[in-house]
Amino acid sequence: MSAFEAVIGLEVHAQLKTESKLFCACSTHFGEKPNTNTCPVCTGMPGALPVINKKAVEFAAKMALAMQCRINTRSVFARKNYFYPDLPKGYQISQYEAPLAENGCVSIVSGGSFREIRIIRIHMEDDAGKSIHSRHENLSYVDLNRTGVPLIEIVSGPDLRSAEEAVTYLKQLRSILMYLGICEGNMEEGNFRCDANVSLRPLGRERLGVRTELKNMNSFRHVHKALEYEIQRQEDLLSDSEPVIQETLLFDEDSGTTRSMRGKEEAHDYRYFPDPDLVPMELSREAIAGWTAELPELPPAKMLRFQEAYGLPEYDAGLLTAERDLADYFEATVALGPPPKVVSNWIMTDLLREIREKDLVLSRCAFTPERFASLLKLIDSGKISSKTGKQIFPELLLQDLDPGTYVQEKGYVQISDDSELTRILEEVLEENPKELAAYKAGKKKLLSFFMGQVMKKTKGQANPKLVNEKLQELLK
Amino acid sequence: MKKIETQEVAKIASLARLEADRATLERFAGQLDNILEYMETLHELDTTGVDPLYSPVQHPAPFREDSVHQAYTQQDVLGNAPESDELYFIVPKII
């Protein structure tokens, strides 16, 4: 047992899914030719004036409301000054004093119990561009298409206590952003990013230890690995009575370690001041009330409702509500009749497995809730066996097929017709007089022999439950 | 007592990527010192209950609708660059 406790706070940057940039009408569309989505405003031409995007404010405010923050009806944009070629203005437009929102919280499930994580602030800012560093020449190539794309920064309190907890919190934020439909939430593509502040303190002590800042973690797995590594590194230092140096560290995904990025420290003097090009932003009580009313049901509430309304275990409810698409898919299917737990089991095993293995997007599959419900009905009514159902499931998910028609055409329909089954059973008994006599003489084990014969005759399409019942009846 | 030393002025100049010789730095240190001195005088005023003034402009920020409008071509934007390859801005290597 470690004598230290880890204290982690996260700074999350989420790109907002608007059509145009935060302060100009350039497109935010990803993947365009370099420097095509640019104009005098986002390239920092002298005299060009920023005008704020209303949609970006709405999106940011909705996230703040979902995190139960207090929204400042008057917030101020500030210049964060530093020099870097992907920042043509020479400053980032951000918020410092009077950010958009403050003092919120979000609850996460950690170690089986609920934990409240404080949200210190949520502020708006514009993104920087991208640079490519040449390997051969002493040059860098700069693309300013991303410059000026709206971001929100969500700053948590130092309330996270382990790498697992940090990842759980991060996933919860992502889930909420995606429920709100305001961020793509893709860490690999960089539209959902995270920096972490980490320090250790002796168990039971209130005062925080010296912290380091971790950067360059572009997947949940990296965040976990980087934090685990950094916690261990600091623990080793402190155990040897060596000091932790306050610095920024980069995670290196190849080695799974963190390394210092010294030299940039001096640049941390950002000399914030209110941006004279932007007057304070005022939000009316009515606008805020309107956005509050538009908030969808969020994951924690949905999870509780799934447990209560559908009688699902907490595990199922948590998994089904992690993504809005999946939760909607579940509800749409259940609305068509199949029992919730059956639907949940199929989703958690077959559906999610196929989606992960084949990297599918559920909303783009032709396998609609209607088709899913019809497949489950085919099984429930005994028209096909559940084994057949599992077998044909991947096919149904990938192709544009109607389950009812498909099983007919492929001959997967079980023989459940009473008179036809009786006819086949009688044939089998007639063709095997020796076995029949032996059975009647007491060799009851031969029941499975007759079962096997029936299955052979029907190419496995007889409803096994019915065959069993009928056989017992005929052999009485 | 000086409010700002030449050394600090040198640091601010370097943060702003401004080159200045010793004489210039000393001259600015003197001027900045006068400004700070005057701020000190202003600071004597009791401003309890007065909101900070972030902008002398009295109307709130106007908003823009979220619609895309392309007014400049890639060539227009790259046209001002000292160096480009018609796709990217080219700068001395950053890292």
Side-chain angles (χ1 to χ4, degrees):
Chain A
M1 185 66 197
S2 168
F4 297 100
E5 173 182 60
V7 178
I8 304 166
L10 297 187
E11 287 169 17
V12 172
H13 285 92
Q15 237 177 47
L16 300 175
K17 237 165 66 174
T18 52
E19 296 294 323
S20 65
K21 292 186 178 180
L22 183 53
F23 295 113
C24 61
C26 290
S27 168
T28 57
H29 194 258
F30 183 78
E32 299 287 337
K33 280 194 192 137
N35 295 305
T36 45
N37 295 336
T38 52
C39 76
V41 174
C42 57
T43 57
M45 296 293 164
L49 286 175
V51 185
I52 194 160
N53 183 338
K54 202 169 164 182
K55 200 71 179 178
V57 177
E58 176 191 327
F59 284 176
K62 281 185 172 169
M63 186 57 180
L65 291 167
M67 315 251 82
Q68 298 168 51
C69 289
R70 191 196 69 224
I71 294 201
N72 288 323
T73 48
R74 187 178 154 88
S75 72
V76 175
F77 286 95
R79 293 186 179 182
K80 179 180 179 179
N81 300 280
Y82 66 93
F83 285 108
Y84 209 69
D86 63 16
L87 187 81
K89 297 192 299 299
Y91 56 86
Q92 179 186 29
I93 303 179
S94 181
Q95 297 190 295
Y96 190 62
E97 291 173 345
L100 180 78
E102 293 169 280
N103 295 331
C105 71
V106 62
S107 58
I108 59 167
V109 181
S110 168
S113 60
F114 277 101
R115 288 254 289 119
E116 293 258 302
I117 308 301
R118 283 171 297 165
I119 302 296
I120 306 294
R121 57 189 272 143
I122 297 182
H123 69 248
M124 303 184 70
E125 56 190 27
D126 60 357
D127 208 347
K130 274 185 182 169
S131 23
I132 304 165
H133 312 295
S134 170
R135 275 167 194 255
H136 314 292
E137 312 147 292
N138 209 22
L139 299 172
S140 291
Y141 294 79
V142 182
D143 172 11
L144 300 179
N145 280 348
R146 200 180 67 180
T147 309
V149 168
L151 292 177
I152 46 173
E153 179 173 329
I154 305 161
V155 183
S156 85
D159 297 343
L160 300 157
R161 294 289 170 267
S162 67
E164 284 82 23
E165 225 169 65
V167 171
T168 305
Y169 163 80
L170 206 53
K171 286 187 174 166
Q172 177 76 289
L173 285 200
R174 179 178 175 271
S175 172
I176 294 171
L177 286 164
M178 295 186 70
Y179 263 69
L180 296 171
I182 62 173
C183 175
E184 295 286 352
N186 189 327
M187 286 192 92
E188 284 85 356
E189 280 179 15
N191 48 47
F192 181 70
R193 316 195 278 265
C194 156
D195 299 335
N197 288 304
V198 191
S199 66
L200 257 56
R201 65 182 170 195
L203 272 175
R205 198 181 75 174
E206 192 65 28
R207 195 158 56 85
L208 296 171
V210 176
R211 68 184 158 83
T212 56
E213 188 182 1
L214 299 184
K215 285 180 180 285
N216 201 36
M217 304 170 286
N218 46 23
S219 70
F220 290 116
R221 208 168 43 85
H222 286 175
V223 172
H224 191 268
K225 256 179 126 174
L227 285 171
E228 291 258 277
Y229 177 84
E230 181 57 18
I231 291 167
Q232 189 59 52
R233 190 187 72 89
Q234 290 191 14
E235 194 179 322
D236 291 348
L237 284 173
L238 295 172
S239 303
D240 292 345
S241 304
E242 285 189 46
V244 171
I245 298 161
Q246 182 169 345
E247 61 181 338
T248 303
L249 301 167
L250 286 183
F251 175 66
D252 183 76
E253 61 174 283
D254 296 325
S255 62
T257 60
T258 57
R259 63 185 160 83
S260 177
M261 61 180 272
R262 270 186 211 99
K264 266 200 127 185
E265 292 311 296
E266 181 214 29
H268 273 260
D269 195 343
Y270 291 128
R271 296 149 293 143
Y272 283 96
F273 65 90
D275 190 327
D277 286 345
L278 286 154
V279 293
M281 177 170 75
E282 283 179 16
L283 300 176
S284 69
R285 296 269 164 218
E286 295 74 45
I288 296 170
W291 295 328
T292 310
E294 280 170 26
L295 289 183
E297 182 183 35
L298 294 167
K302 201 180 275 274
M303 181 175 156
L304 283 179
R305 183 169 63 80
F306 272 31
Q307 285 172 255
E308 280 161 18
Y310 301 117
L312 294 177
E314 187 182 301
Y315 177 80
D316 295 39
L319 204 80
L320 293 173
T321 55
E323 280 175 34
R324 191 176 173 178
D325 277 2
L326 194 65
D328 290 348
Y329 190 81
F330 168 82
E331 288 207 280
T333 309
V334 167
L336 298 166
K341 183 59 185 157
V342 172
V343 177
S344 167
N345 287 348
W346 273 83
I347 289 180
M348 292 195 303
T349 53
D350 303 77
L351 186 73
L352 288 180
R353 182 196 61 231
E354 290 300 315
I355 282 183
R356 272 184 204 132
E357 275 177 11
K358 296 181 179 128
D359 203 17
L360 304 172
V361 177
L362 186 56
S363 56
R364 288 191 208 136
C365 292
F367 192 63
T368 56
E370 287 72 24
R371 288 182 173 176
F372 189 16
S374 112
L375 172 71
L376 296 180
K377 204 172 165 202
L378 288 171
I379 298 167
D380 186 54
S381 65
K383 231 180 157 188
I384 60 170
S385 67
S386 72
K387 199 173 148 221
T388 303
K390 299 250 170 197
Q391 262 168 21
I392 63 172
F393 186 80
E395 194 74 11
L396 290 175
L397 194 61
L398 283 172
Q399 317 278 342
D400 186 4
L401 299 164
D402 174 68
T405 323
Y406 181 71
V407 298
Q408 284 289 354
E409 280 171 3
K410 291 275 172 179
Y412 285 130
V413 178
Q414 292 189 125
I415 303 165
S416 298
D417 182 70
D418 235 43
S419 54
E420 201 186 343
L421 264 187
T422 311
R423 189 182 58 74
I424 294 165
L425 291 183
E426 282 170 353
E427 258 178 53
V428 166
L429 296 183
E430 248 170 62
E431 286 162 12
N432 300 284
K434 259 198 323 198
E435 285 77 6
L436 182 60
Y439 181 88
K440 293 217 161 142
K443 229 179 153 187
K444 301 290 178 205
K445 271 203 285 187
L446 280 167
L447 187 71
S448 57
F449 165 78
F450 293 118
M451 275 289 282
Q453 292 300 310
V454 174
M455 285 304 177
K456 206 169 145 194
K457 227 180 174 49
T458 59
K459 298 193 180 75
Q461 283 171 28
N463 181 333
K465 200 170 146 244
L466 272 184
V467 174
N468 194 24
E469 279 171 25
K470 286 262 159 225
L471 261 178
Q472 304 247 30
E473 212 178 286
L474 284 173
L475 291 169
K476 237 181 233 165
Chain B
M1 241 282 280
K2 277 199 156 188
K3 301 236 165 285
I4 190 161
E5 299 293 338
T6 313
Q7 212 185 344
E8 206 174 344
V9 177
K11 191 192 160 206
I12 295 165
S14 87
L15 281 171
R17 303 290 189 273
L18 294 173
E19 228 176 319
D21 57 26
R22 184 83 202 167
T24 312
L25 290 175
E26 272 167 11
R27 184 156 50 89
F28 276 119
Q31 291 177 2
L32 289 172
D33 200 60
N34 287 341
I35 294 170
L36 289 173
E37 184 69 51
Y38 180 59
M39 290 294 152
E40 193 86 324
T41 311
L42 285 183
H43 198 64
E44 286 167 15
L45 202 67
D46 183 10
T47 54
T48 318
V50 179
D51 283 337
L53 181 75
Y54 289 106
S55 166
V57 179
Q58 290 303 307
H59 65 79
F63 290 107
R64 217 187 77 240
E65 292 302 323
D66 182 28
S67 58
V68 174
H69 173 67
Q70 189 173 8
Y72 296 84
T73 65
Q74 190 189 35
Q75 284 147 305
D76 291 335
V77 172
L78 290 170
N80 287 315
E83 203 182 338
S84 86
D85 62 356
E86 290 172 11
L87 288 174
Y88 294 94
F89 293 94
I90 299 179
V91 298
K93 195 165 185 172
I94 309 160
I95 292 182

PDB file of all heavy atoms in Angstrom, chain B residues 9-10 12-22 24-25 28:
ATOM      1  N   VAL B   9      12.200  45.495 -17.776  1.00  0.00           N
ATOM      2  CA  VAL B   9      11.841  46.029 -19.097  1.00  0.00           C
ATOM      3  C   VAL B   9      12.479  45.149 -20.172  1.00  0.00           C
ATOM      4  O   VAL B   9      11.865  44.822 -21.187  1.00  0.00           O
ATOM      5  CB  VAL B   9      12.290  47.495 -19.242  1.00  0.00           C
ATOM      6  CG1 VAL B   9      11.970  48.015 -20.645  1.00  0.00           C
ATOM      7  CG2 VAL B   9      11.620  48.371 -18.198  1.00  0.00           C
ATOM      8  N   ALA B  10      13.706  44.713 -19.924  1.00  0.00           N
ATOM      9  CA  ALA B  10      14.400  43.839 -20.872  1.00  0.00           C
ATOM     10  C   ALA B  10      13.646  42.520 -21.041  1.00  0.00           C
ATOM     11  O   ALA B  10      13.515  41.984 -22.143  1.00  0.00           O
ATOM     12  CB  ALA B  10      15.829  43.589 -20.395  1.00  0.00           C
ATOM     13  N   ILE B  12      10.368  42.017 -20.539  1.00  0.00           N
ATOM     14  CA  ILE B  12       9.130  42.277 -21.277  1.00  0.00           C
ATOM     15  C   ILE B  12       9.422  42.440 -22.762  1.00  0.00           C
ATOM     16  O   ILE B  12       8.723  41.911 -23.614  1.00  0.00           O
ATOM     17  CB  ILE B  12       8.412  43.532 -20.710  1.00  0.00           C
ATOM     18  CG1 ILE B  12       7.953  43.260 -19.277  1.00  0.00           C
ATOM     19  CG2 ILE B  12       7.226  43.918 -21.585  1.00  0.00           C
ATOM     20  CD1 ILE B  12       7.571  44.512 -18.505  1.00  0.00           C
ATOM     21  N   ALA B  13      10.521  43.126 -23.068  1.00  0.00           N
ATOM     22  CA  ALA B  13      10.913  43.317 -24.474  1.00  0.00           C
ATOM     23  C   ALA B  13      11.195  41.973 -25.128  1.00  0.00           C
ATOM     24  O   ALA B  13      10.760  41.714 -26.248  1.00  0.00           O
ATOM     25  CB  ALA B  13      12.133  44.220 -24.549  1.00  0.00           C
ATOM     26  N   SER B  14      11.869  41.088 -24.395  1.00  0.00           N
ATOM     27  CA  SER B  14      12.202  39.802 -25.003  1.00  0.00           C
ATOM     28  C   SER B  14      10.949  38.934 -25.174  1.00  0.00           C
ATOM     29  O   SER B  14      10.827  38.209 -26.152  1.00  0.00           O
ATOM     30  CB  SER B  14      13.290  39.083 -24.201  1.00  0.00           C
ATOM     31  OG  SER B  14      12.727  38.327 -23.162  1.00  0.00           O
ATOM     32  N   LEU B  15       9.972  39.034 -24.242  1.00  0.00           N
ATOM     33  CA  LEU B  15       8.712  38.299 -24.396  1.00  0.00           C
ATOM     34  C   LEU B  15       7.963  38.777 -25.647  1.00  0.00           C
ATOM     35  O   LEU B  15       7.288  38.014 -26.322  1.00  0.00           O
ATOM     36  CB  LEU B  15       7.817  38.486 -23.164  1.00  0.00           C
ATOM     37  CG  LEU B  15       8.152  37.654 -21.939  1.00  0.00           C
ATOM     38  CD1 LEU B  15       7.309  38.113 -20.747  1.00  0.00           C
ATOM     39  CD2 LEU B  15       7.922  36.173 -22.193  1.00  0.00           C
ATOM     40  N   ALA B  16       8.106  40.055 -25.946  1.00  0.00           N
ATOM     41  CA  ALA B  16       7.441  40.634 -27.114  1.00  0.00           C
ATOM     42  C   ALA B  16       8.332  40.542 -28.357  1.00  0.00           C
ATOM     43  O   ALA B  16       7.983  41.072 -29.402  1.00  0.00           O
ATOM     44  CB  ALA B  16       7.055  42.078 -26.826  1.00  0.00           C
ATOM     45  N   ARG B  17       9.449  39.857 -28.226  1.00  0.00           N
ATOM     46  CA  ARG B  17      10.417  39.698 -29.315  1.00  0.00           C
ATOM     47  C   ARG B  17      10.890  41.050 -29.862  1.00  0.00           C
ATOM     48  O   ARG B  17      10.988  41.250 -31.057  1.00  0.00           O
ATOM     49  CB  ARG B  17       9.825  38.869 -30.474  1.00  0.00           C
ATOM     50  CG  ARG B  17       9.332  37.494 -30.082  1.00  0.00           C
ATOM     51  CD  ARG B  17      10.499  36.573 -29.731  1.00  0.00           C
ATOM     52  NE  ARG B  17      10.051  35.194 -29.548  1.00  0.00           N
ATOM     53  CZ  ARG B  17       9.595  34.698 -28.392  1.00  0.00           C
ATOM     54  NH1 ARG B  17       9.524  35.470 -27.323  1.00  0.00           N
ATOM     55  NH2 ARG B  17       9.213  33.443 -28.304  1.00  0.00           N
ATOM     56  N   LEU B  18      11.114  41.995 -28.957  1.00  0.00           N
ATOM     57  CA  LEU B  18      11.607  43.309 -29.343  1.00  0.00           C
ATOM     58  C   LEU B  18      13.081  43.426 -28.973  1.00  0.00           C
ATOM     59  O   LEU B  18      13.474  43.056 -27.862  1.00  0.00           O
ATOM     60  CB  LEU B  18      10.821  44.420 -28.639  1.00  0.00           C
ATOM     61  CG  LEU B  18       9.340  44.567 -29.020  1.00  0.00           C
ATOM     62  CD1 LEU B  18       8.660  45.583 -28.120  1.00  0.00           C
ATOM     63  CD2 LEU B  18       9.200  44.965 -30.484  1.00  0.00           C
ATOM     64  N   GLU B  19      13.840  43.905 -29.914  1.00  0.00           N
ATOM     65  CA  GLU B  19      15.253  44.093 -29.643  1.00  0.00           C
ATOM     66  C   GLU B  19      15.479  45.543 -29.218  1.00  0.00           C
ATOM     67  O   GLU B  19      14.927  46.449 -29.833  1.00  0.00           O
ATOM     68  CB  GLU B  19      16.058  43.797 -30.900  1.00  0.00           C
ATOM     69  CG  GLU B  19      17.238  42.887 -30.640  1.00  0.00           C
ATOM     70  CD  GLU B  19      17.951  42.555 -31.946  1.00  0.00           C
ATOM     71  OE1 GLU B  19      17.267  42.323 -32.954  1.00  0.00           O
ATOM     72  OE2 GLU B  19      19.182  42.544 -31.924  1.00  0.00           O
ATOM     73  N   ALA B  20      16.234  45.743 -28.166  1.00  0.00           N
ATOM     74  CA  ALA B  20      16.482  47.123 -27.735  1.00  0.00           C
ATOM     75  C   ALA B  20      17.850  47.206 -27.074  1.00  0.00           C
ATOM     76  O   ALA B  20      18.237  46.295 -26.328  1.00  0.00           O
ATOM     77  CB  ALA B  20      15.404  47.559 -26.757  1.00  0.00           C
ATOM     78  N   ASP B  21      18.546  48.272 -27.342  1.00  0.00           N
ATOM     79  CA  ASP B  21      19.862  48.409 -26.705  1.00  0.00           C
ATOM     80  C   ASP B  21      19.687  48.955 -25.286  1.00  0.00           C
ATOM     81  O   ASP B  21      18.599  49.381 -24.898  1.00  0.00           O
ATOM     82  CB  ASP B  21      20.807  49.283 -27.546  1.00  0.00           C
ATOM     83  CG  ASP B  21      20.225  50.651 -27.803  1.00  0.00           C
ATOM     84  OD1 ASP B  21      19.389  51.111 -26.994  1.00  0.00           O
ATOM     85  OD2 ASP B  21      20.592  51.264 -28.829  1.00  0.00           O
ATOM     86  N   ARG B  22      20.762  48.972 -24.558  1.00  0.00           N
ATOM     87  CA  ARG B  22      20.768  49.364 -23.140  1.00  0.00           C
ATOM     88  C   ARG B  22      20.142  50.751 -22.931  1.00  0.00           C
ATOM     89  O   ARG B  22      19.291  50.937 -22.068  1.00  0.00           O
ATOM     90  CB  ARG B  22      22.228  49.343 -22.645  1.00  0.00           C
ATOM     91  CG  ARG B  22      22.433  49.624 -21.191  1.00  0.00           C
ATOM     92  CD  ARG B  22      22.218  48.377 -20.359  1.00  0.00           C
ATOM     93  NE  ARG B  22      21.918  48.766 -18.978  1.00  0.00           N
ATOM     94  CZ  ARG B  22      21.438  47.945 -18.058  1.00  0.00           C
ATOM     95  NH1 ARG B  22      21.149  46.694 -18.373  1.00  0.00           N
ATOM     96  NH2 ARG B  22      21.218  48.362 -16.835  1.00  0.00           N
ATOM     97  N   THR B  24      18.011  52.410 -24.836  1.00  0.00           N
ATOM     98  CA  THR B  24      16.569  52.386 -25.084  1.00  0.00           C
ATOM     99  C   THR B  24      15.841  51.774 -23.894  1.00  0.00           C
ATOM    100  O   THR B  24      14.815  52.289 -23.444  1.00  0.00           O
ATOM    101  CB  THR B  24      16.266  51.564 -26.365  1.00  0.00           C
ATOM    102  OG1 THR B  24      17.140  52.012 -27.391  1.00  0.00           O
ATOM    103  CG2 THR B  24      14.830  51.718 -26.787  1.00  0.00           C
ATOM    104  N   LEU B  25      16.379  50.668 -23.395  1.00  0.00           N
ATOM    105  CA  LEU B  25      15.753  49.996 -22.260  1.00  0.00           C
ATOM    106  C   LEU B  25      15.675  50.938 -21.063  1.00  0.00           C
ATOM    107  O   LEU B  25      14.645  51.001 -20.378  1.00  0.00           O
ATOM    108  CB  LEU B  25      16.514  48.726 -21.884  1.00  0.00           C
ATOM    109  CG  LEU B  25      16.432  47.555 -22.880  1.00  0.00           C
ATOM    110  CD1 LEU B  25      17.321  46.412 -22.432  1.00  0.00           C
ATOM    111  CD2 LEU B  25      14.985  47.080 -23.044  1.00  0.00           C
ATOM    112  N   PHE B  28      12.975  53.588 -21.670  1.00  0.00           N
ATOM    113  CA  PHE B  28      11.634  53.040 -21.456  1.00  0.00           C
ATOM    114  C   PHE B  28      11.367  52.756 -19.986  1.00  0.00           C
ATOM    115  O   PHE B  28      10.258  52.952 -19.497  1.00  0.00           O
ATOM    116  CB  PHE B  28      11.422  51.774 -22.291  1.00  0.00           C
ATOM    117  CG  PHE B  28      11.007  52.070 -23.698  1.00  0.00           C
ATOM    118  CD1 PHE B  28      11.771  51.686 -24.789  1.00  0.00           C
ATOM    119  CD2 PHE B  28       9.815  52.760 -23.939  1.00  0.00           C
ATOM    120  CE1 PHE B  28      11.384  51.979 -26.087  1.00  0.00           C
ATOM    121  CE2 PHE B  28       9.418  53.063 -25.240  1.00  0.00           C
ATOM    122  CZ  PHE B  28      10.204  52.664 -26.319  1.00  0.00           C
TER     123      PHE B  28
END
